[in-house]
């Protein structure tokens, strides 16, 4: 007997979400030196800067 697998419509698309986060991170750090990036990520972790 062959069962049909019904695809449930996704409420949340994980791949699309992380792709958008990755693009925001790349845009935020574009043109920064390594030290500037380190300082930026430190501030982000501390909640002093938000990823747009």
């Amino acid at each position: 007997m062959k069962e049909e697998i019904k695809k449930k419509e996704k409420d949340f698309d994980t791949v699309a979400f992380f792709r958008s986060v990755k693009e925001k991170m790349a845009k935020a750090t574009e043109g920064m030196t390594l030290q500037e990036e380190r300082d930026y990520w430190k501030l982000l972790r501390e909640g002093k800067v938000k990823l747009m």
Side-chain angles (χ1 to χ4, degrees), residues 10-25:
K10 296 180 182 181
D11 295 332
F12 181 75
D13 187 356
T14 305
V15 174
F17 172 76
F18 282 104
R19 184 176 293 130
S20 70
V21 170
K22 180 181 169 186
E23 289 172 1
K24 289 176 185 178
M25 290 167 53

